[in-house]
Amino acid sequence: MTTSTVSPATPDTSAMAFDGRAFIGGQRVNARDGQTFDCLSPVDGRLLTQVARCGEADIDAAVAAGRAAFEDRRWAGKSPAQRKRVMLKFADLIQANAEVLALTETLDMGKPVKYSRAVDVNSAANCIRWYGEAVDKVYDEIAPTPDTALALITREPVGVVGVIVPWNYPMIMASWKIAPALAVGNSVVLKPSEKSPLTALKLAELALEAGIPPGVFNVVPGYGPEAGSPLALHMDVDCIAFTGSTRVGKQIHVMAGQSNLKRAWTELGGKSPNIVFADCPNLDLAVEAAVGSIFFNQGESCNAPSRLFVEASIKDAFLEKALKLVPQYQPGNPLDKSTVMGAIVDKVQMDTVLRYIASGRQEGAALLAGGEQARTDSGGYYVQPTIFDGVRPDMTIAREEIFGPVLSVLSFTDTAEVVRQANSSVYGLQAAVWTRDINKAHGVARALRAGTVHVNQYDEDDITVPFGGYKQSGVGRDKSLHAFDKYTETKTTWIRIDSPL
Ligand code: NAD
């Protein structure tokens, strides 16, 4: 399939076939020991394919392929303009395969095909295109030294980059890392989540077809402890770029320190506060953003505004409007083009979300909407859009990342107190403030300890701006030109100048 739109309304995917073998040295290969795992669809529980269950020997082979490619400079040695042309072709091939990639993403992790096509495929292609476009426009530096010498400050690729990503936006999370890493000439070994390995494998095929030489981009599916840990611990990996939970992110930093002190970059969890003041300039917009953003991607978004703080005087009006929007987010068949909320990635995650809902009830929050499993006859894993009112800051659902369609509503009366509560989290990924008072907007935005603060909106996002968090939301930033810093070493070259004058 090579068309660029998803059609018809609910496409028949029963004949789709998937190749779950690893991609090492430009070739599809089985795991060295022949092991596989079942790749099940959360849409309806069907078996999609068997996927290579890679382990240490496969990681060794992929790293060796990446190292050999880096050392002979088959990719790093190309000029930035040459790499740009290949990256642009890679992006074009993603777009040309948009329909199959979108359907694969939806079947593999459950998000509505409407969004896997319009958001995930487009964002991944755009990201690869953007870094390709950027790489021949970034200059190095000459330091302002005395004229007895010249000091060149240049950027060089770090070498072999290990990438470990989660399942919530498989193609987007991978592209945020592989695009800047490849653009500057590194080799990459990517370990996708065991819950969503299929599109990463397809991306590797497309990269090869675009002209990225064999060995430069390798994909090794498998479980975290079996495939992820050997990658993070590998003595011949120069940098590890991780997106996932804070729990595993901490282990990644330890593994980097335990092995070769590889550069470790982590994009981790969040529990983002969304603060709506009574002088919010557009209450309908604030309600739509609060509800739409927590239920988008089934709530499986690191930056979901999962803690909603509403000023007490407008809370009832706010919630009345919010509850009217909930029915449109009832989960549907993700393959149906009109569906806006799909399946939770697997039974384990669905049970986790349902456990958090049970804890909200037990700890005394008021369940206003949802709270139950949905589409129980589908064979898949679905949870109703859920809203809790009367949440206190000490409750589990106010503190821990749920990673599901659950909104916790808290109220406040005092600006300093709400900022204190908003910041009273181990996370610091994103935050929002809604007010028509420019002083309050700036003052609160400055006081919020978060990598991104939204004012009077929650949706803006662009490849041109950094993405990442304060505190335990991680170390480093994805996206924007800043991402090049993660995948390059900075070298100073001193040249003596004996002036003939
Ligand atoms: P996870 O930490 O369980 O897994 C992430 C990846 O790490 C997977 O590929 C997994 O196989 C691997 N892994 C697991 N154990 C490992 C180990 N011991 N050694 C090496 N690798 C290991 O996270 P998840 O459930 O896949 O993803 C959800 C989390 O990701 C949430 O916390 C979410 O907030 C976070 N996330 C953050 C961002 C961001 O940009 N900050 C973006 C998306 C998701």
Side-chain angles (χ1 to χ4, degrees):
M1 277 184 274
T2 55
T3 53
S4 58
T5 55
V6 173
S7 60
T10 307
D12 179 9
T13 55
S14 55
M16 281 181 81
F18 307 97
D19 188 344
R21 288 175 299 167
F23 196 91
I24 298 176
Q27 289 184 335
R28 288 289 203 160
V29 290
N30 293 315
R32 293 291 188 274
D33 61 7
Q35 290 217 53
T36 59
F37 63 92
D38 289 347
C39 181
L40 303 174
S41 174
V43 171
D44 51 14
R46 85 174 91 149
L47 176 68
L48 295 174
T49 188
Q50 299 283 327
V51 173
R53 183 171 173 169
C54 292
E56 195 169 348
D58 307 288
I59 297 297
D60 284 346
V63 172
R67 177 60 60 193
F70 187 70
E71 292 300 328
D72 71 17
R73 297 181 58 76
R74 69 188 78 159
W75 177 243
K78 291 196 186 308
S79 71
Q82 286 171 320
R83 288 199 300 271
K84 173 180 80 172
R85 280 193 286 279
V86 175
M87 297 287 287
L88 296 186
K89 185 153 180 221
F90 184 14
D92 288 346
L93 285 171
I94 292 173
Q95 286 294 5
N97 287 272
E99 181 157 354
V100 75
L101 285 167
L103 289 170
T104 304
E105 200 81 306
T106 288
L107 285 167
D108 206 4
M109 66 69 64
K111 71 174 69 196
V113 72
K114 175 189 177 95
Y115 297 130
S116 44
R117 174 67 188 87
V119 178
D120 295 69
V121 170
N122 285 352
S123 298
N126 182 49
C127 176
I128 286 160
R129 185 173 294 119
W130 195 83
Y131 283 103
E133 284 283 6
V135 77
D136 70 344
K137 297 169 188 68
V138 181
Y139 290 70
D140 287 328
E141 301 164 42
I142 294 176
T145 55
D147 58 9
T148 51
L150 185 65
L152 309 177
I153 304 168
T154 51
R155 299 264 195 95
E156 297 181 351
V158 291
V160 178
V161 176
V163 174
I164 301 177
V165 290
W167 44 263
N168 59 336
Y169 297 94
M171 273 186 287
I172 299 178
M173 294 301 102
S175 64
W176 284 3
K177 298 180 193 311
I178 65 172
L182 289 173
V184 295
N186 293 291
S187 295
V188 169
V189 177
L190 166 65
K191 195 209 81 66
S193 170
E194 61 277 17
K195 300 184 184 195
S196 61
L198 298 179
T199 48
L201 291 164
K202 183 74 187 160
L203 287 184
E205 281 181 356
L206 298 178
L208 186 73
E209 189 182 338
I212 292 182
V216 172
F217 180 25
N218 308 278
V219 180
V220 277
Y223 291 96
E226 295 172 6
S229 292
L231 187 59
L233 282 165
H234 207 288
M235 293 301 287
D236 207 22
V237 168
D238 302 289
C239 164
I240 188 88
F242 174 86
T243 299
S245 63
T246 294
R247 181 184 66 80
V248 179
K250 288 180 180 182
Q251 295 173 29
I252 296 292
H253 286 285
V254 171
M255 287 189 261
Q258 272 176 340
S259 52
N260 59 346
L261 208 60
K262 57 180 66 66
R263 282 92 188 93
W265 306 109
T266 49
E267 299 286 347
L268 310 176
K271 189 77 185 172
S272 299
N274 182 13
I275 305 171
V276 186
F277 285 96
D279 65 352
C280 159
N282 184 334
L283 197 61
D284 288 332
L285 191 66
V287 172
E288 275 168 35
V291 172
S293 302
I294 185 66
F295 296 146
F296 184 70
N297 212 43
Q298 303 71 244
E300 298 162 330
S301 298
C302 53
N303 61 338
S306 50
R307 286 186 296 155
L308 173 64
F309 294 90
V310 187
E311 192 158 356
S313 60
I314 60 161
K315 199 188 74 171
D316 289 348
F318 192 102
L319 288 178
E320 196 183 322
K321 286 175 187 286
L323 288 174
K324 286 197 182 124
L325 297 182
V326 170
Q328 74 193 55
Y329 291 97
Q330 289 307 322
N333 180 353
L335 292 166
D336 183 329
K337 274 195 328 186
S338 62
T339 293
V340 295
M341 192 152 98
I344 302 292
V345 69
D346 65 1
K347 183 168 186 320
V348 173
Q349 183 63 18
M350 181 184 75
D351 289 345
T352 300
V353 175
L354 293 173
R355 264 199 310 278
Y356 275 114
I357 291 172
S359 93
R361 283 177 156 141
Q362 277 155 17
E363 293 179 20
L367 183 67
L368 295 190
E372 304 291 337
Q373 189 181 344
R375 305 192 79 233
T376 45
D377 54 356
S378 64
Y381 311 109
Y382 299 83
V383 174
Q384 293 174 341
T386 297
I387 299 181
F388 278 109
D389 187 18
V391 177
R392 291 189 318 272
D394 61 307
M395 288 181 180
T396 309
I397 58 168
R399 288 184 292 107
E400 296 185 12
E401 184 183 44
I402 299 174
F403 226 54
V406 182
L407 180 63
S408 299
V409 183
L410 302 90
S411 69
F412 70 92
T413 51
D414 177 73
T415 303
E417 177 57 17
V418 75
V419 168
R420 198 192 60 73
Q421 282 185 22
N423 283 338
S424 137
S425 167
V426 296
Y427 300 114
L429 191 55
Q430 299 208 342
V433 51
W434 298 75
T435 174
R436 67 173 74 238
D437 177 339
I438 192 166
N439 293 314
K440 204 172 0 175
H442 276 292
V444 172
R446 260 190 207 170
L448 289 168
R449 305 271 301 151
T452 300
V453 180
H454 302 272
V455 177
N456 295 333
Q457 59 84 33
Y458 207 86
D459 294 334
E460 287 295 339
D461 192 21
D462 200 74
I463 190 68
T464 56
V465 298
F467 189 104
Y470 284 28
K471 300 190 271 181
Q472 294 185 35
S473 286
V475 176
R477 296 290 183 270
D478 277 334
K479 299 174 40 187
S480 81
L481 294 179
H482 292 280
F484 281 141
D485 296 342
K486 295 160 70 166
Y487 307 110
T488 50
E489 291 286 10
T490 304
K491 177 181 276 181
T492 301
T493 308
W494 281 103
I495 301 168
R496 195 178 78 183
I497 299 181
D498 292 328
S499 176
L501 304 176

